[in-house]
């Protein structure tokens, strides 16, 4: 059953009239009472209903865009592309984009979704990788099922589809009747997933084809889907070439320039003969390049460097970064159209978007001295390490 005003009043220990006053903001109430009512609303996930409610009136024109970090170009490009599709032309008219930044917090992600549900958002676009936490996955699936039951369209952009067993359990747990005045046919979430694993595999294979064997990998934060997928692709390529991955060369850090810089220095400390580094993203790759230059190493003559995502600045770096292009603008625009019902959902509700290898000036053949040093040029004796980093992932 849907949660009612009376349910909120009982939880808060006040009258239904007091709850209505708090939600409308039209009558003065004490801070203590207001706090109890708002806590009850959050705990019960109460959705304000009725034409007299200012929240309900505004909600139908809202589209929530949930990102990890709006300052990160990865999410900035996605959010901008989604917002570009929310104009007045087409079904549904013009919508107002509300960008919600989680700062990498799984709890904050759930809080944002609860707020968007209470605002009766027309659609929600959830971007970037997800935490690999079964508890969070169940909680998220329940939130999304409640949004869908209330008539909100949900699009997952840049993250893998939800597990069927998780979504099946969430449908029963949500148990919410459609909100009055909303569409009664719940639209299941649509997923636009990036081929992170395939892109990482092609990137590392490119370095291996250039003769590199001592390859460091600056990966993303542990426990994030994007990190797992990209690191798996890197290791796929190593295994296919008979190169041994050395877990001891995993160093935690973050998806930013300073962490890329620190990770590169640690890699050089652990393996001075390093000939290539694969960075978690283009921003971290810039930090790797800076660290190498500060150590007097040339790129790519001494050490090749590659990034990921093809962020706008990557082509203008010196040297221009070899990277993997993800179709960020295209994915964001498609997510915006799907959110407004202006595009047809892919078969099965899931589309996997390709990742393209872009070879530029930051990677080159391994230098002959490095190939022969230590006898590591052969596959049997070759090793590679991976650097784990700690920022919330793309």
């Amino acid at each position: 059953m849907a949660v009612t005003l009376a349910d909120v009043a009982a939880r808060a220990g006040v009258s239904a009239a007091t709850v209505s006053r708090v939600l409308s903001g039209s009558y003065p109430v004490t801070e203590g009472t207001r706090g109890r009512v708002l806590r009850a609303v959050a705990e019960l996930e109460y959705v304000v209903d009725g034409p007299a409610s200012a929240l309900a009136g505004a909600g139908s024109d809202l589209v929530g865009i949930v990102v990890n970090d709006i300052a990160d170009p990865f999410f900035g490009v996605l959010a901008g592309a989604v917002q570009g599709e929310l104009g007045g032309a087409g079904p549904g008219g013009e919508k107002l984009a509300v960008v919600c930044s989680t700062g990498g917090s799984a709890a904050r992600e759930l809080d944002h979704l609860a707020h968007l549900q209470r605002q009766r958002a027309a659609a929600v676009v959830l971007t970037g990788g997800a935490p690999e936490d079964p508890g969070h996955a169940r909680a998220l699936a329940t939130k999304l099922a409640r949004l869908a039951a209330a008539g909100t369209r949900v699009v997952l952009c840049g993250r893998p589809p939800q597990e069927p067993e998780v979504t099946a359990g969430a449908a029963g747990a949500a148990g919410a009747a459609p909100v009055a005045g909303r569409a009664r046919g719940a639209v299941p979430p649509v997923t636009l997933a990036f081929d992170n694993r395939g892109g990482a595999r092609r990137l590392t294979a490119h370095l291996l084809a250039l003769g590199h064997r001592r390859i460091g990998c600056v990966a993303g934060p542990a426990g994030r889907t994007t990190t797992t997928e990209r690191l798996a692709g890197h290791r796929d390529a190593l295994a296919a070439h008979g190169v041994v991955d050395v877990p001891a060369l995993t160093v935690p850090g973050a998806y930013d320039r300073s962490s890329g810089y620190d990770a590169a220095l640690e890699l050089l400390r652990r393996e001075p003969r390093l000939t290539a580094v694969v960075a978690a993203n283009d921003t971290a790759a810039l930090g790797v390049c800076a660290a190498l230059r500060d150590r007097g190493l040339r790129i790519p003559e001494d050490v090749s460097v590659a990034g990921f995502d093809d962020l706008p600045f990557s082509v203008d770096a010196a040297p221009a970064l070899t990277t993997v292009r993800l179709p960020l603008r295209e994915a964001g625009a498609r997510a915006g159209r799907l959110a407004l019902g202006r595009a047809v959902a892919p078969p099965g509700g899931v589309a996997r978007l390709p990742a393209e290898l872009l070879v530029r000036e930051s990677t080159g053949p391994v230098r002959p001295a490095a190939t022969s040093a230590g006898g590591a040029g052969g596959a049997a004796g070759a090793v590679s390490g991976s650097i784990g980093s700690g920022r919330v992932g793309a």
Side-chain angles (χ1 to χ4, degrees), residues 132-214:
E132 293 183 313
D133 174 7
H136 177 75
R138 290 190 296 270
L140 176 64
T142 299
K143 294 281 189 188
L144 297 184
R146 285 176 175 149
L147 283 163
T152 299
R153 293 180 182 272
V154 177
V155 182
L156 308 181
C157 184
R159 66 170 59 193
Q162 296 176 288
E163 296 293 335
E165 59 270 20
V166 174
T167 55
V179 177
R182 302 300 297 272
R184 302 186 67 85
V187 179
V190 176
T191 300
L192 304 178
F194 294 132
D195 184 17
N196 285 302
R197 184 167 186 166
R201 182 174 58 248
R202 286 187 282 277
L203 186 60
T204 299
H206 160 68
L207 292 172
L208 291 164
L210 291 172
H212 295 280
R213 293 298 181 267
R214 290 185 289 277

Side-chain angles (χ1 to χ4, degrees), residues 215-227:
I215 304 171
C217 175
V218 180
R224 301 287 300 190
T225 54
T226 300
T227 300

Side-chain angles (χ1 to χ4, degrees), residues 54-63 92 94-96 119-123 181-182 340:
L55 291 176
S60 61
D61 287 333
L62 294 179
V63 173
E94 187 168 0
K95 301 296 181 185
L96 175 66
Q119 295 287 332
R120 302 177 77 222
R182 302 300 297 272
L340 298 186

